[in-house]
Amino acid sequence: MISYTIRRILMLIPVLIGMSLITFSIIHLIPGNPAQTILGEQATPQAIEQLEEQLGLNEPYFVQYGNYMMGLAQGDLGTSLRTKGEISSEIWPFLAATIELTIFAMVFAIIVGVNAGIISAWKQNSIFDYASMLIALVGVSMPIFWLGLMEQWIFAQELGWLPAFGRGNPRDPVETVTHFYLVDSMINGRPDQIWTSFKHLILPGVALGTIPMAIIARMTRSSMLEVLRSDYIRTIEAKGARDLSVVYRHGFKNAVIPVLTVVGLQTGTLLGGAILTETIFSWPGVGRYVYEAIGNRDYPVIQSGIIVIATMFVFINLIVDLLYSYIDPRIKY
Amino acid sequence: MNKPVLEVNHLSTHFFTDRGEIPAVDDVSFAIHEKEVLGIVGESGCGKSVTSLSVMGLVPNPPGKIVAGEILFRQQKAGNEVDEDLVKISKKRLRRIRGNQIAMIFQEPMTSLDPLFTIGFQIIEAVKLHRKVTKKQARQIAVDKLKLVGIPRPDEVVDEYPHQLSGGMRQRVMIAIAMSCDPEVLIADEPTTALDVTIQAQILELMKKLNKEKGTAIMMITHDLGVVAEMCDRVAVMYAGKIVEQGTVRTILKDPKHPYTRGLIRSLPKMHERDKRLYSIPGNVPKPGSIQNGCRFAPRCGDVFDRCLKENPELLPLNEGHHCRCFLYEKEGATVHAETVARS
Ligand SMILES: Nc1ncnc2c1ncn2[C@@H]1O[C@H](COP(=O)(O)OP(=O)(O)OP(=O)(O)O)[C@@H](O)[C@H]1O
Ligand SMILES: [Mg+2]
């Protein structure tokens, strides 16, 4: 198991190199001149040339890539053209906001989706089954911006139960340590802020989690239906086991692999930053960070943003793969 | 003879499908006595598995349902013997009997164990459901049961997973699970069909040993008359959801009466008649429910006469403990006919 894990981590190296090379090349192929962007329309050709030299932009392509990778290896993501700040420190608050929201959304999606799927399969063709599969169908086909706006209208505007925008109360900002607000307010010993941060997560989290929830519910149901028909489930029933143990302990464990795959993919997608949701709920996440950088032609930010997001995606996949082999002894190390 | 531990009376289990109601088991009655091995034989699709699943309360529902009959299980309660009807008792009560006093092993050893749990876990799970034991005791029981069913290196195998074992070993593990709470009745649904011949013999030997040493009554389901001859005390022959003949192994094998049973026995390969072509009963088993009137075997029967196509024969006693469902052996009129058949 340990050697398998190490092997899998080593196998990531070529994946990450390939991914960064592609990202780097695409950014380079985009028309437009970074030096020009920095200096503005009126800049003289001499000034542009000078800046290009300073930024290393006149070096051959592979040298540039090499320099960039050397920086990456030391945790240096470059500097923003617009703010002149270190991207590695600038990006973190946005990333943390996205990760916090993603975790919240996925926990919601998994708890609701998995249980709905399990019970639907167990009580196949019951009212519950029909109702939850109908909701799941609506869930996958619902435009997320519409869902977000409806949530805001009902729960924020009409009922006034939950905040519609941002991560917390701007007049009482969370003192940031990790930039995960739930964690930070815990560190600071501020239960009121924990509660406020939590409330701010609910509407965007539910909006973001709805599609994964629906997909997970349907995947769980179909996988469970298959498993519950199998011979070993009958063996467990023949032992005299209670339904709950049959369904959850043996049934779900056997049905979980395809569900895990979906969870991994969905988590990866959400971590990429859901620009739509982040915009609707004014959530300061990484999607908006990169989106704004595109508007500003802030090439280093775009490039590093994409690389960071893609790296997280790769790691999520690694975790999912490791979980497979942890769950199923037949998967060879 | 001993008292019956399990008595099935007029059991009917039907499946309700798109194609209509299928009487997979139709008015079946039999009894298993203490320490006895009862064989249930019949061709594929005649309802053997559904009968055993009915006893276990494991008929997949929907589409299946026990529509009539009773399954009486003899229990010791405060020194008295009481019959519990497994059809009527609560699910909770049934769960307490299932796996504990009546256990079952299945036709498909390759797929009957949960691939994600260790062998030990799966035996211990069965023990823990019915007995209060500590972790250490449970593990010891698991090792002991593996030893009982003849698994080599039992204290290593407890920690292994099903995919690391062969089919024969898996079936042994299934037997270990079934025997984990020392049941009074063991239902074995074609336990050796999926295994190769040498392994078959070993598994049968093991079951015989359990029957002799532990006194476990066994309901042995098979389509193999060789297994019957080897193992059973009494036999019930099933055809298309009904029992057509029932008796001791000796009578059934030496003096079969029902044309179907006779066909089955004729189709057994015999050592000294190697060159002869193997006999097989012409035709196929009818789909359950497809024959409404008359004897269900009539279309394939060599001795068929008018009455067989119109009326349903009853299961009638011939001798002590020997029953047969055939008009040939009805007292009036048909005796002559039976004699002609016997002579031919
Ligand atoms: N789940 C089901 N749905 C519908 N019909 C079923 C179902 N299970 C069994 N049956 C019907 O019951 C009949 C008897 O099946 P059963 O499995 O008891 O046969 P069997 O005697 O055990 O055969 P085999 O030797 O092949 O195991 C089948 O012919 C089939 O029509
Ligand atoms: Mg069967």
Side-chain angles (χ1 to χ4, degrees):
Chain A
M1 185 79 198
I2 290 169
S3 84
Y4 173 71
T5 310
I6 293 170
R7 249 192 3 252
R8 283 304 313 262
I9 290 173
L10 289 179
M11 270 158 64
L12 287 187
I13 292 171
V15 174
L16 291 174
I17 289 176
M19 181 269 291
S20 62
L21 187 60
I22 292 170
T23 312
F24 191 81
S25 309
I26 290 174
I27 298 292
H28 264 249
L29 290 175
I30 293 175
N33 185 334
Q36 175 99 58
T37 311
I38 295 169
L39 297 171
E41 295 295 323
Q42 272 82 41
T44 59
Q46 290 87 344
I48 290 175
E49 208 168 295
Q50 203 181 345
L51 185 65
E52 277 184 339
E53 198 161 332
Q54 211 179 317
L55 293 173
L57 292 175
N58 51 359
E59 307 244 31
Y61 174 74
F62 275 104
V63 176
Q64 287 188 42
Y65 176 69
N67 289 338
Y68 182 70
M69 288 308 282
M70 293 290 281
L72 269 192
Q74 294 156 31
D76 177 10
L77 294 174
T79 28
S80 161
L81 296 184
R82 213 169 67 89
T83 65
K84 313 281 185 293
E86 290 270 326
I87 297 171
S88 52
S89 48
E90 265 184 10
I91 199 174
W92 178 246
F94 296 97
L95 207 53
T98 291
I99 293 174
E100 191 167 45
L101 182 59
T102 299
I103 292 175
F104 185 90
M106 285 312 291
V107 167
F108 158 75
I110 291 168
I111 290 176
V112 179
V114 161
N115 285 293
I118 290 178
I119 297 170
S120 294
W122 181 22
K123 304 282 178 200
Q124 193 191 0
N125 299 330
S126 65
I127 301 282
F128 182 91
D129 182 21
Y130 291 132
S132 59
M133 284 308 114
L134 184 69
I135 292 170
L137 187 65
V138 174
V140 278
S141 28
M142 182 140 45
I144 198 165
F145 69 88
W146 186 80
L147 176 65
L149 292 175
M150 288 323 262
E151 279 183 5
Q152 288 179 331
W153 178 53
I154 297 172
F155 295 102
Q157 199 165 328
E158 294 298 316
L159 297 171
W161 290 351
L162 295 164
F165 302 108
R167 297 183 73 185
N169 185 353
R171 267 162 292 165
D172 179 22
V174 173
E175 204 178 305
T176 54
V177 186
T178 62
H179 288 278
F180 297 113
Y181 278 17
L182 284 179
V183 177
D184 289 347
S185 39
M186 250 178 251
I187 293 174
N188 300 333
R190 292 281 305 273
D192 58 317
Q193 281 191 341
I194 298 180
W195 181 233
T196 313
S197 309
F198 184 76
K199 281 202 295 193
H200 277 84
L201 279 164
I202 293 176
L203 292 186
V206 169
L208 207 57
T210 295
I211 290 176
M213 174 197 78
I215 297 176
I216 290 169
R218 293 188 339 159
M219 185 54 96
T220 306
R221 179 177 180 273
S222 67
S223 184
M224 278 297 283
L225 279 179
E226 183 100 22
V227 168
L228 289 181
R229 266 197 294 267
S230 55
D231 293 334
Y232 52 83
I233 292 295
R234 193 182 52 191
T235 305
I236 297 149
E237 287 178 319
K239 291 178 191 172
R242 284 178 312 134
D243 288 355
L244 275 184
S245 141
V246 173
V247 170
Y248 275 84
R249 186 197 272 163
H250 292 275
F252 184 59
K253 191 171 180 188
N254 276 281
V256 81
I257 295 252
V259 178
L260 259 183
T261 313
V262 168
V263 168
L265 287 175
Q266 292 293 322
T267 310
T269 309
L270 296 197
L271 280 178
I275 295 173
L276 222 48
T277 318
E278 288 175 4
T279 308
I280 295 168
F281 291 96
S282 305
W283 194 265
V286 75
R288 279 174 69 209
Y289 178 65
V290 174
Y291 179 68
E292 275 164 27
I294 294 171
N296 297 328
R297 292 172 187 256
D298 198 340
Y299 299 104
V301 172
I302 303 171
Q303 182 169 300
S304 298
I306 294 173
I307 286 178
V308 167
I309 290 166
T311 306
M312 285 197 297
F313 202 100
V314 169
F315 272 93
I316 298 269
N317 272 317
L318 171 73
I319 293 170
V320 168
D321 275 2
L322 292 178
L323 279 176
Y324 287 167
S325 58
Y326 174 74
I327 290 168
D328 192 338
R330 288 166 300 181
I331 293 175
K332 284 269 175 295
Y333 305 143
Chain B
M1 199 183 291
N2 293 313
K3 288 164 290 188
V5 274
L6 187 73
E7 211 179 317
V8 173
N9 293 320
H10 308 292
L11 176 73
S12 291
T13 305
H14 293 190
F15 287 92
F16 298 85
T17 66
D18 303 337
R19 288 163 292 131
E21 190 173 337
I22 300 172
V25 173
D26 191 3
D27 193 19
V28 162
S29 303
F30 60 87
I32 304 173
H33 303 82
E34 276 173 18
K35 302 190 171 71
E36 180 187 46
V37 182
L38 172 73
I40 296 192
V41 281
E43 280 166 287
S44 194
C46 69
K48 304 181 300 287
S49 294
V50 175
T51 304
S52 50
L53 290 175
S54 301
V55 173
M56 293 292 285
L58 289 176
V59 175
N61 177 12
K65 194 172 186 304
I66 296 177
V67 291
E70 51 182 17
I71 301 167
L72 301 178
F73 181 58
R74 196 133 306 168
Q75 295 263 42
Q76 298 285 342
K77 258 190 195 158
N80 293 323
E81 283 182 346
V82 269
D83 281 336
E84 272 189 291
D85 185 353
L86 304 185
V87 178
K88 293 214 182 68
I89 58 172
S90 70
K91 267 188 148 183
K92 195 172 164 199
R93 182 79 198 113
L94 183 59
R95 271 203 299 269
R96 216 163 280 155
I97 295 174
R98 194 199 276 167
N100 183 15
Q101 295 175 288
I102 307 179
M104 180 161 175
I105 53 183
F106 297 94
Q107 206 165 338
E108 308 85 3
M110 297 312 279
T111 51
S112 288
L113 290 166
D114 189 330
L116 304 187
F117 292 85
T118 61
I119 303 299
F121 181 96
Q122 301 191 49
I123 301 175
I124 291 167
E125 182 179 40
V127 176
K128 276 198 184 151
L129 279 164
H130 305 288
R131 306 268 185 277
K132 277 212 154 51
V133 286
T134 64
K135 243 185 178 159
K136 219 170 142 197
Q137 286 171 325
R139 193 186 157 86
Q140 193 51 49
I141 293 175
V143 174
D144 289 346
K145 294 297 169 189
L146 288 176
K147 213 179 286 168
L148 175 74
V149 298
I151 293 230
R153 323 172 277 116
D155 31 63
E156 286 168 43
V157 172
V158 272
D159 296 317
E160 286 179 7
Y161 287 93
H163 72 274
Q164 293 168 282
L165 303 181
S166 67
M169 284 298 150
R170 287 189 214 186
Q171 196 61 298
R172 282 175 196 265
V173 171
M174 284 299 295
I175 297 174
I177 291 173
M179 295 304 293
S180 62
C181 294
D182 301 311
E184 281 115 84
V185 180
L186 176 65
I187 302 176
D189 186 357
E190 307 198 32
T192 58
T193 305
L195 304 172
D196 65 51
V197 186
T198 44
I199 311 292
Q200 267 185 27
Q202 292 171 6
I203 297 284
L204 292 178
E205 207 48 51
L206 167 65
M207 296 189 57
K208 227 153 102 182
K209 188 185 96 177
L210 293 175
N211 171 252
K212 289 269 142 22
E213 288 175 7
K214 301 241 166 197
T216 316
I218 297 178
M219 174 172 155
M220 185 79 190
I221 292 167
T222 178
H223 54 232
D224 184 346
L225 283 168
V227 173
V228 169
E230 182 89 352
M231 295 274 306
C232 302
D233 302 313
R234 280 186 320 117
V235 193
V237 181
M238 270 186 93
Y239 186 79
K242 280 188 179 296
I243 290 182
V244 295
E245 187 164 3
Q246 203 176 105
T248 61
V249 154
R250 251 193 108 69
T251 32
I252 297 289
L253 293 181
K254 288 266 146 39
D255 186 22
K257 291 294 188 217
H258 196 283
Y260 177 63
T261 319
R262 299 213 301 223
L264 276 185
I265 288 166
R266 253 185 89 189
S267 57
L268 272 182
K270 294 189 188 71
M271 277 304 187
H272 50 273
E273 289 174 9
R274 251 210 317 233
D275 307 327
K276 270 201 193 164
R277 262 192 87 217
L278 266 181
Y279 173 80
S280 70
I281 306 172
N284 286 312
V285 190
K287 280 214 189 80
S290 62
I291 294 177
Q292 301 290 351
N293 286 317
C295 173
R296 292 179 183 184
F297 187 59
R300 301 171 71 187
C301 183
D303 307 318
V304 60
F305 57 101
D306 320 340
R307 203 179 162 195
C308 307
L309 299 169
K310 293 188 201 104
E311 288 171 54
N312 242 319
E314 294 294 313
L315 191 64
L316 294 172
L318 298 176
N319 290 310
E320 177 64 30
H322 189 185
H323 298 248
C324 182
R325 188 189 292 279
C326 184
F327 289 126
L328 293 177
Y329 306 100
E330 270 195 357
K331 289 273 149 36
E332 322 128 21
T335 15
V336 189
H337 204 100
E339 272 163 17
T340 37
V341 172
R343 249 184 283 127
S344 61

